[in-house]
Amino acid sequence: MTSTPERIEAALRAALTVDRLEIGDDSALHAGHAGARGGGHFRLQIVSPAFVGKTRIARHRLVYDALAPLMQHEIHALVIVAQSPDEA
Protein backbone atom coordinates (compact mmCIF):
# COMPACT_ATOMS: atom_id res chain seq x y z
CA MET A 1 0.00 0.00 0.00
CA THR A 2 1.32 3.44 -0.89
CA SER A 3 1.33 6.41 1.44
CA THR A 4 -0.70 9.54 0.87
CA PRO A 5 2.39 11.58 -0.13
CA GLU A 6 3.21 8.89 -2.71
CA ARG A 7 -0.35 9.07 -4.05
CA ILE A 8 -0.12 12.87 -4.17
CA GLU A 9 3.10 12.64 -6.15
CA ALA A 10 1.69 10.05 -8.56
CA ALA A 11 -1.45 12.11 -9.19
CA LEU A 12 0.50 15.31 -9.84
CA ARG A 13 2.99 13.61 -12.13
CA ALA A 14 0.15 11.96 -14.07
CA ALA A 15 -1.62 15.29 -14.60
CA LEU A 16 1.29 17.73 -15.03
CA THR A 17 4.83 17.86 -16.31
CA VAL A 18 6.74 18.26 -13.06
CA ASP A 19 10.27 19.67 -12.93
CA ARG A 20 10.49 19.60 -9.13
CA LEU A 21 8.17 18.41 -6.39
CA GLU A 22 8.53 18.47 -2.64
CA ILE A 23 5.77 17.15 -0.40
CA GLY A 24 5.69 17.64 3.35
CA ASP A 25 3.33 15.91 5.75
CA ASP A 26 2.35 18.24 8.59
CA SER A 27 -0.41 15.98 9.91
CA ALA A 28 1.33 15.33 13.23
CA LEU A 29 1.32 19.07 13.94
CA HIS A 30 -2.47 19.03 13.75
CA ALA A 31 -3.19 16.00 15.93
CA GLY A 32 -6.48 16.52 17.73
CA HIS A 33 -7.70 19.08 15.18
CA ALA A 34 -11.33 18.25 14.45
CA GLY A 35 -10.81 17.90 10.70
CA ALA A 36 -7.55 15.99 10.94
CA ARG A 37 -9.35 12.67 11.23
CA GLY A 38 -10.82 13.26 7.78
CA GLY A 39 -7.43 13.48 6.09
CA GLY A 40 -3.93 14.81 6.53
CA HIS A 41 -2.34 18.22 6.37
CA PHE A 42 0.17 18.54 3.55
CA ARG A 43 2.33 21.20 1.96
CA LEU A 44 3.79 21.02 -1.47
CA GLN A 45 6.19 22.96 -3.59
CA ILE A 46 5.81 22.21 -7.26
CA VAL A 47 7.61 23.55 -10.31
CA SER A 48 5.99 22.91 -13.66
CA PRO A 49 5.99 24.46 -17.13
CA ALA A 50 2.18 24.11 -16.95
CA PHE A 51 2.20 27.18 -14.68
CA VAL A 52 3.82 29.53 -17.19
CA GLY A 53 1.58 32.54 -17.77
CA LYS A 54 -1.02 31.36 -15.25
CA THR A 55 -2.26 33.28 -12.25
CA ARG A 56 -1.80 31.90 -8.74
CA ILE A 57 -5.45 30.85 -8.66
CA ALA A 58 -5.20 29.06 -12.02
CA ARG A 59 -2.10 27.21 -10.80
CA HIS A 60 -3.87 26.11 -7.63
CA ARG A 61 -6.84 24.93 -9.69
CA LEU A 62 -4.56 22.72 -11.76
CA VAL A 63 -3.16 21.19 -8.57
CA TYR A 64 -6.59 20.72 -6.99
CA ASP A 65 -7.96 19.19 -10.19
CA ALA A 66 -5.11 16.67 -10.20
CA LEU A 67 -5.70 15.83 -6.54
CA ALA A 68 -9.51 15.82 -6.61
CA PRO A 69 -9.87 12.09 -5.83
CA LEU A 70 -7.67 12.49 -2.74
CA MET A 71 -9.31 15.66 -1.45
CA GLN A 72 -12.38 13.93 -0.07
CA HIS A 73 -10.68 11.57 2.36
CA GLU A 74 -6.89 11.65 2.32
CA ILE A 75 -6.19 15.40 2.23
CA HIS A 76 -7.83 17.75 4.71
CA ALA A 77 -5.55 20.76 4.23
CA LEU A 78 -3.06 21.65 1.53
CA VAL A 79 -0.54 24.50 1.31
CA ILE A 80 0.63 25.03 -2.26
CA VAL A 81 3.62 26.88 -3.67
CA ALA A 82 3.34 26.53 -7.45
CA GLN A 83 6.02 28.03 -9.66
CA SER A 84 7.00 28.01 -13.30
CA PRO A 85 10.57 26.88 -14.08
CA ASP A 86 11.82 30.46 -14.57
CA GLU A 87 10.47 31.46 -11.13
CA ALA A 88 12.10 28.59 -9.27
Side-chain angles (χ1 to χ4, degrees), residues 17-21 45-49 51 81-86 88:
T17 299
V18 177
D19 288 354
R20 189 172 80 229
L21 179 62
Q45 185 169 15
I46 182 170
V47 178
S48 173
F51 301 142
V81 175
Q83 298 174 304
S84 66
D86 59 326

Side-chain angles (χ1 to χ4, degrees), residues 47-66:
V47 178
S48 173
F51 301 142
V52 172
K54 297 221 175 6
T55 65
R56 184 177 179 189
I57 291 172
R59 294 172 184 197
H60 285 212
R61 282 187 186 136
L62 287 171
V63 170
Y64 280 116
D65 287 349

